[in-house]
Amino acid sequence: MRVLGTFVALVALSMPPLNGHFGKKCSINTQKLLSLLNLLCNSTQVTVTTRDACYGCFFRAGSLNPGDTQVALLSQCATMYLVNTSYAPCIATLMQPSAVSSLSHCYTGHCAFVQCIRRFNSALLVDECMTQALATNPNFQTTQAGRIALLGNATGCILARARCSQFNPITGVYQGTTLSATTLQIAPNGDLRVVAFPPNLPTVELFCSSRNTLDQAVYQGAIC
């Protein structure tokens, strides 16, 4: 991951002036976009030189006022750095006809690109956690206990990594302090989301419950 001080310094650079209500609404998420692009470059580039070049390109594009120009520059960066990666399908999302999303106030290409990156980030997280769980449960297909352990370990890995990582593995957002409790949500289209809860949230069902708060298990390298 890039050095945090450098990343924060880049984010702190002065932004171009905002134009109108639309630009202000979408620009609220500029830092989140830059965090996501930072994670994207670290995930796809294999050398320090290409990682720096990738993030430099995406930082310049992501710092622009939202609009056609920003989407066009994001498209150029994606074409240069994502073609031979698992994120290649996301390039096409930046080539959609321009329109403004009533929900996010961002251009549709901008939003579709963000959604695509997050979808691949979640797929990568699930795959990595399943691989770890399979390594510790080689007999999952032949025994009930193995299948149960596989699901529990993979789910614990996903939640722990989302809760404990310095950068959220799906959204890329910097997490200055670790989250206390997380749970998974699977959207109707199959998208994976990690939802955070405060540590002192009481459980709804207390009947014979062993605990009345949302304590979380740790898993392998993700300990917090």
Side-chain angles (χ1 to χ4, degrees):
M1 192 64 69
R2 290 175 60 87
V3 176
L4 179 59
T6 303
F7 171 66
V8 173
L10 286 172
V11 173
L13 292 176
S14 59
M15 297 291 184
L18 298 175
N19 295 318
H21 180 70
F22 158 69
K24 291 180 180 179
K25 280 283 188 178
C26 189
S27 293
I28 291 173
N29 295 312
T30 293
Q31 186 167 340
K32 291 182 179 179
L33 174 64
L34 295 176
S35 294
L36 182 68
L37 297 173
N38 181 53
L39 180 64
L40 174 67
C41 290
N42 279 289
S43 299
T44 58
Q45 307 304 307
V46 296
T47 69
V48 173
T49 300
T50 56
R51 281 197 297 271
D52 286 346
C54 173
Y55 185 65
C57 185
F58 276 117
F59 176 80
R60 288 188 292 273
S63 299
L64 292 176
N65 284 337
D68 284 331
T69 300
Q70 183 190 58
V71 172
L73 290 179
L74 286 172
S75 179
Q76 290 180 16
C77 296
T79 300
M80 285 191 290
Y81 294 104
L82 302 183
V83 169
N84 295 318
T85 72
S86 59
Y87 293 81
C90 296
I91 298 172
T93 63
L94 292 163
M95 301 176 183
Q96 300 180 5
S98 295
V100 178
S101 167
S102 59
L103 180 63
S104 66
H105 299 276
C106 297
Y107 272 60
T108 51
H110 172 121
C111 290
F113 183 59
V114 168
Q115 292 163 3
C116 185
I117 294 172
R118 287 180 173 177
R119 189 173 301 116
F120 277 92
N121 284 350
S122 64
L124 179 63
L125 177 61
V126 171
D127 184 60
E128 289 176 347
C129 285
M130 283 294 292
T131 299
Q132 291 180 23
L134 285 168
T136 58
N137 296 286
N139 297 320
F140 81 99
Q141 289 182 319
T142 58
T143 67
Q144 182 188 59
R147 292 188 291 272
I148 293 171
L150 174 68
L151 177 61
N153 286 343
T155 303
C157 170
I158 294 168
L159 291 174
R161 285 186 54 182
R163 189 172 71 253
C164 307
S165 299
Q166 184 181 30
F167 292 84
N168 185 289
I170 297 177
T171 67
V173 172
Y174 173 70
Q175 300 176 157
T177 58
T178 54
L179 303 175
S180 297
T182 48
T183 186
L184 295 181
Q185 178 197 27
I186 305 296
N189 65 352
D191 283 355
L192 174 69
R193 298 179 181 178
V194 179
V195 183
F197 293 96
N200 57 352
L201 182 69
T203 56
V204 176
E205 177 57 73
L206 299 179
F207 178 65
C208 296
S209 175
S210 60
R211 297 181 183 275
N212 59 7
T213 56
L214 297 173
D215 295 335
Q216 299 271 281
V218 298
Y219 186 72
Q220 294 192 1
I223 300 175
C224 61

